[in-house]
Amino acid sequence: MGDLESIDVAKIAIKMALSSREEEMEFKEKYSKMHVRTAAVDFGGDFNNSIKKIIERTLVAAKREGVIEEGKHVQEGALIGAAREALSQVTQKALGLNVGGKIGMARCGEHICVAMFFGVGFLNLNEVAIGLGHRSIPSF
């Protein structure tokens, strides 16, 4: 199968972020047959104190699952840029509150996407948000 378009890769990243653990495993297998590399990881805590940890978890999971290659600064920079973009889209809603959720990543060809699904909580009031970032990088 040829390379997917950026919108297709974004949809896969969002599916990974919304998936249960069982669905995540099924998606990884399904998308690897389509030459899409995927990863997902959970996060949680006070938003202000979690920003650095969220980016670190994104980077570690992407390397562990082969979404990006170890030591490739262009790939690391693109992934971190996409993660920061996703974070920026939910910052106003989450600032000063507790968050929990899942990060989904997908890469195919020159497209890499990071999607973050957030549950934002304050006392017994809960809100949800999704952030999405995309970058273009050289193909493997």
Side-chain angles (χ1 to χ4, degrees):
M1 181 175 183
D3 287 345
L4 300 175
E5 298 295 323
S6 59
I7 194 166
D8 302 313
V9 179
K11 287 177 184 179
I12 293 168
I14 292 168
K15 286 180 183 179
M16 293 298 291
L18 295 175
S19 67
S20 67
R21 196 73 174 135
E22 297 77 28
E23 291 170 327
E24 179 185 327
M25 296 302 142
E26 292 172 17
F27 289 158
K28 286 178 71 66
E29 187 176 324
K30 172 185 175 181
Y31 293 125
S32 74
K33 292 175 184 172
M34 298 170 61
H35 306 287
V36 179
R37 296 173 186 233
T38 58
V41 64
D42 296 321
F43 65 89
D46 173 68
F47 182 75
N48 300 6
N49 297 323
S50 296
I51 293 172
K52 182 178 176 186
K53 209 49 144 173
I54 290 169
I55 293 170
E56 287 173 357
R57 290 181 69 91
T58 303
L59 187 60
V60 168
K63 288 179 181 180
R64 181 184 64 234
E65 299 297 328
V67 174
I68 63 170
E69 297 172 276
E70 184 76 40
K72 300 285 186 169
H73 299 299
V74 171
Q75 294 177 17
E76 291 175 1
L79 181 81
I80 290 170
R84 289 179 55 86
E85 173 62 26
L87 280 166
S88 75
Q89 294 173 9
V90 299
T91 297
Q92 187 173 5
K93 188 174 278 194
L95 206 56
L97 301 174
N98 288 320
V99 297
K102 192 168 186 178
I103 303 160
M105 294 156 266
R107 179 180 179 189
C108 184
E110 296 181 342
H111 304 289
I112 188 164
C113 291
V114 176
M116 297 184 187
F117 174 73
F118 284 79
V120 181
F122 179 73
L123 300 174
N124 64 340
L125 305 170
N126 293 307
E127 187 63 78
V128 293
I130 293 179
L132 177 67
H134 168 269
R135 293 292 184 272
S136 293
I137 54 177
S139 300
F140 280 111

